[in-house]
Short mmCIF file of all heavy atoms in Angstrom, two decimals:
data_model
loop_
_atom_site.label_atom_id
_atom_site.label_comp_id
_atom_site.label_asym_id
_atom_site.label_seq_id
_atom_site.Cartn_x
_atom_site.Cartn_y
_atom_site.Cartn_z
N ARG A 1 0.80 -1.27 0.00
CA ARG A 1 0.08 0.01 -0.03
C ARG A 1 0.84 1.28 0.07
O ARG A 1 0.55 2.11 -0.76
CB ARG A 1 -0.99 0.01 1.19
CG ARG A 1 -2.01 1.17 1.13
CD ARG A 1 -2.92 1.09 2.28
NE ARG A 1 -3.87 0.07 2.37
CZ ARG A 1 -5.06 0.08 1.73
NH1 ARG A 1 -5.40 1.08 0.95
NH2 ARG A 1 -5.88 -0.89 1.81
N PRO A 2 1.94 1.37 0.85
CA PRO A 2 2.72 2.56 0.77
C PRO A 2 3.40 2.77 -0.55
O PRO A 2 3.50 3.92 -1.05
CB PRO A 2 3.80 2.39 1.90
CG PRO A 2 3.12 1.38 2.88
CD PRO A 2 2.30 0.58 2.00
N GLN A 3 3.85 1.66 -1.17
CA GLN A 3 4.49 1.71 -2.46
C GLN A 3 3.57 2.31 -3.61
O GLN A 3 3.84 3.12 -4.28
CB GLN A 3 5.00 0.33 -2.93
CG GLN A 3 6.18 -0.12 -2.10
CD GLN A 3 6.65 -1.48 -2.65
OE1 GLN A 3 6.33 -1.96 -3.65
NE2 GLN A 3 7.26 -2.32 -1.63
N LEU A 4 2.27 1.66 -3.48
CA LEU A 4 1.33 2.18 -4.54
C LEU A 4 0.90 3.62 -4.29
O LEU A 4 0.69 4.44 -5.30
CB LEU A 4 0.03 1.30 -4.28
CG LEU A 4 0.19 -0.10 -4.87
CD1 LEU A 4 -1.11 -0.91 -4.66
CD2 LEU A 4 0.53 -0.10 -6.49
N ARG A 5 0.80 4.04 -3.07
CA ARG A 5 0.44 5.52 -2.76
C ARG A 5 1.47 6.52 -3.33
O ARG A 5 1.12 7.46 -3.79
CB ARG A 5 0.31 5.71 -1.24
CG ARG A 5 -0.92 5.19 -0.65
CD ARG A 5 -0.86 5.33 0.87
NE ARG A 5 -2.22 4.95 1.43
CZ ARG A 5 -2.49 4.70 2.66
NH1 ARG A 5 -1.26 4.82 3.53
NH2 ARG A 5 -3.63 4.33 3.18
N GLU A 6 2.70 5.93 -3.28
CA GLU A 6 3.80 6.78 -3.73
C GLU A 6 3.91 6.73 -5.24
O GLU A 6 4.07 7.88 -5.92
CB GLU A 6 5.19 6.38 -3.19
CG GLU A 6 6.33 7.29 -3.56
CD GLU A 6 7.61 6.68 -2.85
OE1 GLU A 6 7.51 6.04 -1.90
OE2 GLU A 6 8.67 7.18 -3.29
N ARG A 7 3.90 5.60 -5.97
CA ARG A 7 4.17 5.58 -7.38
C ARG A 7 2.90 5.57 -8.25
O ARG A 7 2.93 5.92 -9.46
CB ARG A 7 5.05 4.47 -7.73
CG ARG A 7 4.42 3.00 -7.56
CD ARG A 7 5.13 1.80 -8.25
NE ARG A 7 4.39 0.65 -8.14
CZ ARG A 7 4.72 -0.26 -7.14
NH1 ARG A 7 5.62 -0.07 -6.33
NH2 ARG A 7 3.94 -1.40 -7.23
N ASN A 8 1.74 5.21 -7.72
CA ASN A 8 0.53 5.13 -8.38
C ASN A 8 -0.69 5.39 -7.66
O ASN A 8 -1.60 4.62 -7.42
CB ASN A 8 0.41 3.63 -9.03
CG ASN A 8 -0.53 3.49 -10.20
OD1 ASN A 8 -1.31 4.49 -10.48
ND2 ASN A 8 -0.55 2.41 -10.87
N PRO A 9 -0.72 6.68 -7.18
CA PRO A 9 -1.85 7.03 -6.13
C PRO A 9 -3.18 6.98 -6.80
O PRO A 9 -4.05 6.72 -5.97
CB PRO A 9 -1.42 8.56 -5.81
CG PRO A 9 -0.63 8.90 -6.94
CD PRO A 9 0.15 7.84 -7.49
N THR A 10 -3.40 7.17 -7.93
CA THR A 10 -4.71 7.18 -8.60
C THR A 10 -5.32 5.82 -8.65
O THR A 10 -6.57 5.62 -8.67
CB THR A 10 -4.72 7.81 -10.02
OG1 THR A 10 -3.83 7.06 -10.82
CG2 THR A 10 -4.24 9.29 -10.01
N GLN A 11 -4.41 4.71 -8.68
CA GLN A 11 -4.91 3.37 -8.85
C GLN A 11 -4.74 2.61 -7.53
O GLN A 11 -5.32 1.42 -7.34
CB GLN A 11 -4.09 2.64 -9.91
CG GLN A 11 -4.27 3.33 -11.27
CD GLN A 11 -5.71 3.13 -11.78
OE1 GLN A 11 -6.36 2.14 -11.61
NE2 GLN A 11 -6.16 4.29 -12.37
N CYS A 12 -4.14 3.23 -6.56
CA CYS A 12 -3.93 2.51 -5.28
C CYS A 12 -5.14 1.87 -4.69
O CYS A 12 -5.16 0.71 -4.28
CB CYS A 12 -3.22 3.44 -4.20
SG CYS A 12 -2.90 2.68 -2.64
N SER A 13 -6.20 2.72 -4.46
CA SER A 13 -7.38 2.12 -3.73
C SER A 13 -8.03 1.14 -4.56
O SER A 13 -8.47 0.00 -3.95
CB SER A 13 -8.40 3.30 -3.61
OG SER A 13 -7.87 4.26 -2.67
N ARG A 14 -8.09 1.25 -5.86
CA ARG A 14 -8.74 0.17 -6.69
C ARG A 14 -7.93 -1.15 -6.62
O ARG A 14 -8.56 -2.26 -6.44
CB ARG A 14 -8.85 0.58 -8.18
CG ARG A 14 -9.40 -0.31 -9.14
CD ARG A 14 -9.28 -0.10 -10.55
NE ARG A 14 -7.95 0.16 -10.96
CZ ARG A 14 -7.16 -0.82 -11.34
NH1 ARG A 14 -7.60 -1.96 -11.24
NH2 ARG A 14 -5.99 -0.52 -11.65
N ILE A 15 -6.67 -1.03 -6.70
CA ILE A 15 -5.80 -2.33 -6.68
C ILE A 15 -5.94 -3.04 -5.39
O ILE A 15 -6.05 -4.11 -5.26
CB ILE A 15 -4.26 -1.88 -7.10
CG1 ILE A 15 -4.29 -1.50 -8.48
CG2 ILE A 15 -3.43 -3.11 -6.82
CD1 ILE A 15 -2.88 -0.97 -8.90
N MET A 16 -5.78 -2.19 -4.36
CA MET A 16 -5.91 -2.81 -3.06
C MET A 16 -7.26 -3.42 -2.71
O MET A 16 -7.37 -4.50 -2.13
CB MET A 16 -5.56 -1.76 -1.92
CG MET A 16 -4.21 -1.25 -1.88
SD MET A 16 -2.85 -2.58 -1.69
CE MET A 16 -3.27 -3.25 -0.01
N ARG A 17 -8.35 -2.76 -3.17
CA ARG A 17 -9.73 -3.33 -3.10
C ARG A 17 -9.80 -4.64 -3.77
O ARG A 17 -10.34 -5.62 -3.23
CB ARG A 17 -10.67 -2.34 -3.54
CG ARG A 17 -12.16 -2.81 -3.34
CD ARG A 17 -13.17 -1.63 -3.62
NE ARG A 17 -12.94 -1.09 -4.96
CZ ARG A 17 -12.45 0.04 -5.35
NH1 ARG A 17 -12.05 0.82 -4.34
NH2 ARG A 17 -12.41 0.45 -6.66
N GLU A 18 -9.22 -4.67 -5.08
CA GLU A 18 -9.30 -5.93 -5.79
C GLU A 18 -8.52 -6.97 -5.11
O GLU A 18 -8.98 -8.22 -5.06
CB GLU A 18 -8.60 -5.74 -7.15
CG GLU A 18 -9.41 -5.00 -8.20
CD GLU A 18 -8.75 -4.81 -9.45
OE1 GLU A 18 -7.58 -5.07 -9.52
OE2 GLU A 18 -9.36 -4.40 -10.43
N MET A 19 -7.36 -6.61 -4.54
CA MET A 19 -6.60 -7.69 -3.91
C MET A 19 -7.22 -8.23 -2.60
O MET A 19 -7.32 -9.48 -2.33
CB MET A 19 -5.16 -6.98 -3.64
CG MET A 19 -4.11 -8.04 -3.48
SD MET A 19 -2.46 -7.35 -3.32
CE MET A 19 -2.41 -6.87 -5.11
N TRP A 20 -7.80 -7.36 -1.81
CA TRP A 20 -8.51 -7.85 -0.60
C TRP A 20 -9.65 -8.62 -1.01
O TRP A 20 -10.04 -9.60 -0.36
CB TRP A 20 -8.87 -6.61 0.21
CG TRP A 20 -7.89 -6.14 1.16
CD1 TRP A 20 -7.04 -4.99 1.10
CD2 TRP A 20 -7.47 -6.87 2.37
NE1 TRP A 20 -6.25 -4.99 2.17
CE2 TRP A 20 -6.34 -6.05 3.01
CE3 TRP A 20 -7.77 -8.04 2.93
CZ2 TRP A 20 -5.71 -6.48 4.17
CZ3 TRP A 20 -7.12 -8.47 4.09
CH2 TRP A 20 -6.14 -7.72 4.74
N THR A 21 -10.48 -8.19 -2.09
CA THR A 21 -11.63 -9.04 -2.39
C THR A 21 -11.19 -10.38 -2.88
O THR A 21 -11.91 -11.40 -2.51
CB THR A 21 -12.31 -8.29 -3.68
OG1 THR A 21 -12.73 -7.00 -3.19
CG2 THR A 21 -13.45 -9.10 -4.05
N LEU A 22 -10.09 -10.54 -3.66
CA LEU A 22 -9.68 -11.84 -4.06
C LEU A 22 -9.23 -12.73 -2.81
O LEU A 22 -9.55 -13.85 -2.80
CB LEU A 22 -8.48 -11.69 -4.88
CG LEU A 22 -7.81 -13.09 -5.62
CD1 LEU A 22 -8.84 -13.89 -6.22
CD2 LEU A 22 -6.68 -12.69 -6.45
N ALA A 23 -8.53 -12.05 -1.90
CA ALA A 23 -8.11 -12.83 -0.81
C ALA A 23 -9.37 -13.31 0.10
O ALA A 23 -9.41 -14.38 0.49
CB ALA A 23 -7.18 -12.06 0.12
N SER A 24 -10.18 -12.35 0.25
CA SER A 24 -11.43 -12.66 1.08
C SER A 24 -12.33 -13.72 0.40
O SER A 24 -12.71 -14.66 1.13
CB SER A 24 -12.31 -11.36 1.16
OG SER A 24 -11.56 -10.46 1.92
N VAL A 25 -12.48 -13.66 -0.95
CA VAL A 25 -13.26 -14.71 -1.66
C VAL A 25 -12.63 -15.98 -1.52
O VAL A 25 -13.35 -17.04 -1.34
CB VAL A 25 -13.45 -14.34 -3.07
CG1 VAL A 25 -14.11 -15.45 -3.88
CG2 VAL A 25 -14.46 -13.04 -3.11
N SER A 26 -11.34 -16.09 -1.70
CA SER A 26 -10.72 -17.45 -1.56
C SER A 26 -10.82 -18.02 -0.16
O SER A 26 -11.01 -19.17 -0.02
CB SER A 26 -9.11 -17.30 -1.90
OG SER A 26 -8.44 -16.53 -0.91
N ILE A 27 -10.69 -17.13 0.90
CA ILE A 27 -10.84 -17.68 2.22
C ILE A 27 -12.30 -18.09 2.51
O ILE A 27 -12.57 -19.15 3.07
CB ILE A 27 -10.37 -16.52 3.25
CG1 ILE A 27 -8.90 -16.32 3.23
CG2 ILE A 27 -10.81 -17.04 4.71
CD1 ILE A 27 -8.43 -15.18 3.90
N ILE A 28 -13.24 -17.39 2.07
CA ILE A 28 -14.61 -17.60 2.34
C ILE A 28 -15.04 -18.87 1.54
O ILE A 28 -15.71 -19.86 2.05
CB ILE A 28 -15.59 -16.53 1.74
CG1 ILE A 28 -15.53 -15.35 2.71
CG2 ILE A 28 -17.07 -16.99 1.64
CD1 ILE A 28 -16.19 -14.03 2.11
N THR A 29 -14.49 -19.16 0.36
CA THR A 29 -14.65 -20.37 -0.43
C THR A 29 -14.10 -21.60 0.30
O THR A 29 -14.77 -22.70 0.46
CB THR A 29 -14.11 -20.25 -1.79
OG1 THR A 29 -14.60 -19.17 -2.45
CG2 THR A 29 -14.32 -21.47 -2.61
N PHE A 30 -12.86 -21.48 0.77
CA PHE A 30 -12.24 -22.44 1.51
C PHE A 30 -12.95 -22.84 2.81
O PHE A 30 -13.19 -23.96 3.08
CB PHE A 30 -10.68 -22.11 1.74
CG PHE A 30 -9.87 -23.24 1.92
CD1 PHE A 30 -8.98 -23.61 0.81
CD2 PHE A 30 -9.76 -23.85 3.10
CE1 PHE A 30 -7.99 -24.68 1.01
CE2 PHE A 30 -8.77 -25.01 3.26
CZ PHE A 30 -7.99 -25.40 2.25
N VAL A 31 -13.24 -21.77 3.63
CA VAL A 31 -14.00 -22.08 4.74
C VAL A 31 -15.36 -22.68 4.63
O VAL A 31 -15.84 -23.48 5.33
CB VAL A 31 -14.05 -20.73 5.69
CG1 VAL A 31 -14.95 -20.88 6.89
CG2 VAL A 31 -12.69 -20.27 6.11
N GLY A 32 -16.05 -22.31 3.44
CA GLY A 32 -17.28 -22.77 3.18
C GLY A 32 -17.21 -24.30 2.88
O GLY A 32 -18.15 -25.05 3.42
N GLY A 33 -16.13 -24.66 2.07
CA GLY A 33 -15.93 -26.11 1.86
C GLY A 33 -15.72 -26.79 3.29
O GLY A 33 -16.14 -27.89 3.50
N PHE A 34 -14.87 -26.22 4.09
CA PHE A 34 -14.61 -26.82 5.38
C PHE A 34 -15.87 -27.04 6.20
O PHE A 34 -16.02 -27.98 6.90
CB PHE A 34 -13.61 -25.94 6.24
CG PHE A 34 -13.13 -26.55 7.43
CD1 PHE A 34 -12.35 -27.74 7.58
CD2 PHE A 34 -13.55 -26.00 8.70
CE1 PHE A 34 -12.00 -28.17 8.81
CE2 PHE A 34 -13.21 -26.43 9.91
CZ PHE A 34 -12.33 -27.63 10.01
N PHE A 35 -16.68 -26.09 6.20
CA PHE A 35 -17.97 -26.11 6.98
C PHE A 35 -18.91 -27.37 6.38
O PHE A 35 -19.43 -28.15 7.14
CB PHE A 35 -18.81 -24.78 6.84
CG PHE A 35 -20.15 -24.87 7.34
CD1 PHE A 35 -20.45 -24.78 8.78
CD2 PHE A 35 -21.27 -24.95 6.51
CE1 PHE A 35 -21.72 -24.76 9.36
CE2 PHE A 35 -22.55 -24.88 7.14
CZ PHE A 35 -22.78 -24.95 8.45
N ILE A 36 -18.92 -27.32 5.07
CA ILE A 36 -19.87 -28.49 4.47
C ILE A 36 -19.17 -29.86 4.86
O ILE A 36 -19.82 -30.77 5.03
CB ILE A 36 -19.85 -28.28 2.90
CG1 ILE A 36 -20.71 -27.06 2.61
CG2 ILE A 36 -20.49 -29.49 2.29
CD1 ILE A 36 -20.72 -26.59 1.22
N TRP A 37 -17.83 -29.95 4.86
CA TRP A 37 -17.13 -31.06 5.15
C TRP A 37 -17.60 -31.55 6.62
O TRP A 37 -17.78 -32.72 6.85
CB TRP A 37 -15.60 -30.91 5.05
CG TRP A 37 -14.80 -32.05 5.56
CD1 TRP A 37 -14.92 -33.37 5.32
CD2 TRP A 37 -13.50 -31.89 6.27
NE1 TRP A 37 -13.97 -34.15 5.90
CE2 TRP A 37 -13.05 -33.22 6.47
CE3 TRP A 37 -12.80 -30.83 6.58
CZ2 TRP A 37 -11.86 -33.45 7.13
CZ3 TRP A 37 -11.55 -31.16 7.31
CH2 TRP A 37 -11.15 -32.37 7.49
N ASN A 38 -17.53 -30.70 7.49
CA ASN A 38 -17.90 -31.02 8.89
C ASN A 38 -19.32 -31.35 9.04
O ASN A 38 -19.74 -32.26 9.78
CB ASN A 38 -17.66 -29.81 9.81
CG ASN A 38 -16.09 -29.80 10.24
OD1 ASN A 38 -15.67 -30.40 11.17
ND2 ASN A 38 -15.32 -28.99 9.51
N MET A 39 -20.30 -30.66 8.34
CA MET A 39 -21.69 -30.97 8.40
C MET A 39 -21.86 -32.41 7.76
O MET A 39 -22.68 -33.12 8.22
CB MET A 39 -22.61 -29.96 7.58
CG MET A 39 -22.59 -28.63 8.12
SD MET A 39 -23.30 -28.48 9.85
CE MET A 39 -21.70 -28.49 10.85
N ASP A 40 -21.11 -32.77 6.69
CA ASP A 40 -21.17 -33.99 6.14
C ASP A 40 -20.84 -35.13 7.21
O ASP A 40 -21.45 -36.18 7.26
CB ASP A 40 -20.17 -34.09 4.98
CG ASP A 40 -20.45 -35.38 4.11
OD1 ASP A 40 -21.66 -35.54 3.62
OD2 ASP A 40 -19.45 -36.11 3.87
N ASN A 41 -19.81 -34.93 7.98
CA ASN A 41 -19.37 -35.75 8.99
C ASN A 41 -20.40 -35.96 10.19
O ASN A 41 -20.69 -36.98 10.56
CB ASN A 41 -18.13 -35.44 9.66
CG ASN A 41 -16.90 -35.58 8.58
OD1 ASN A 41 -16.95 -36.30 7.64
ND2 ASN A 41 -15.86 -34.71 8.73
N ILE A 42 -20.87 -34.76 10.58
CA ILE A 42 -21.80 -34.79 11.75
C ILE A 42 -23.17 -35.37 11.44
O ILE A 42 -23.68 -36.09 12.33
CB ILE A 42 -22.00 -33.15 12.12
CG1 ILE A 42 -20.58 -32.72 12.74
CG2 ILE A 42 -23.07 -33.13 13.29
CD1 ILE A 42 -20.65 -31.24 13.00
N PHE A 43 -23.75 -35.08 10.25
CA PHE A 43 -25.03 -35.47 9.94
C PHE A 43 -25.07 -36.65 8.90
O PHE A 43 -26.00 -36.77 8.13
CB PHE A 43 -25.82 -34.37 9.37
CG PHE A 43 -26.04 -33.30 10.40
CD1 PHE A 43 -25.37 -32.05 10.15
CD2 PHE A 43 -26.94 -33.30 11.48
CE1 PHE A 43 -25.51 -30.96 11.29
CE2 PHE A 43 -27.11 -32.41 12.36
CZ PHE A 43 -26.40 -31.22 12.18
N CYS A 44 -23.98 -37.41 8.96
CA CYS A 44 -23.78 -38.53 7.85
C CYS A 44 -24.96 -39.45 7.92
O CYS A 44 -25.43 -39.85 6.83
CB CYS A 44 -22.49 -39.25 8.12
SG CYS A 44 -22.15 -40.53 6.93
N ARG A 45 -25.41 -39.93 9.03
CA ARG A 45 -26.46 -40.90 9.16
C ARG A 45 -27.74 -40.41 8.41
O ARG A 45 -28.36 -41.17 7.68
CB ARG A 45 -26.79 -41.27 10.54
CG ARG A 45 -27.78 -42.33 10.70
CD ARG A 45 -27.75 -42.83 12.13
NE ARG A 45 -28.12 -41.91 13.07
CZ ARG A 45 -29.23 -41.50 13.48
NH1 ARG A 45 -30.31 -42.02 12.91
NH2 ARG A 45 -29.45 -40.57 14.43
N HIS A 46 -28.04 -39.14 8.67
CA HIS A 46 -29.24 -38.50 8.13
C HIS A 46 -29.02 -38.29 6.70
O HIS A 46 -30.00 -38.53 5.87
CB HIS A 46 -29.55 -37.28 8.86
CG HIS A 46 -29.77 -37.39 10.34
ND1 HIS A 46 -30.80 -37.96 10.92
CD2 HIS A 46 -29.00 -37.02 11.30
CE1 HIS A 46 -30.72 -37.89 12.27
NE2 HIS A 46 -29.56 -37.30 12.51
N LEU A 47 -27.87 -37.97 6.27
CA LEU A 47 -27.66 -37.64 4.77
C LEU A 47 -27.72 -38.96 4.05
O LEU A 47 -28.23 -38.99 2.90
CB LEU A 47 -26.35 -37.01 4.67
CG LEU A 47 -26.24 -35.53 5.14
CD1 LEU A 47 -24.77 -35.06 5.09
CD2 LEU A 47 -27.00 -34.68 4.11
N THR A 48 -27.13 -40.05 4.62
CA THR A 48 -27.25 -41.32 3.87
C THR A 48 -28.64 -41.83 3.74
O THR A 48 -29.00 -42.22 2.58
CB THR A 48 -26.28 -42.37 4.77
OG1 THR A 48 -25.01 -41.91 4.91
CG2 THR A 48 -26.41 -43.69 4.15
#
C-alpha cells in the first residue's frame, strides 16, 4: 500500500480493493468447503 500510494496514487485504492476481495473470496470459499465437510461428518447418518 505505501508503495502504491507513492508511485501510483490514482490506482492505489482500486488495486488494494481488488486484492483484498480476491483474498477474502478465496478464504470464504475455503472455509465454506470446510463447513460443508464438517456438516457431512456430523449428519452423515441422516444424509445417507
Side-chain angles (χ1 to χ4, degrees):
R1 189 183 289 275
Q3 292 177 21
L4 288 175
R5 281 175 176 164
E6 182 176 346
R7 71 169 182 260
N8 200 347
T10 60
Q11 299 297 320
C12 176
S13 294
R14 179 188 60 80
I15 291 171
M16 293 302 298
R17 184 170 58 252
E18 285 181 348
M19 202 168 291
W20 273 108
T21 300
L22 178 58
S24 300
V25 168
S26 68
I27 292 170
I28 290 169
T29 303
F30 207 98
V31 171
F34 182 70
F35 174 78
I36 293 174
W37 174 37
N38 278 280
M39 294 302 99
D40 191 55
N41 291 334
I42 294 169
F43 298 106
C44 180
R45 182 169 59 87
H46 303 289
L47 288 168
T48 299

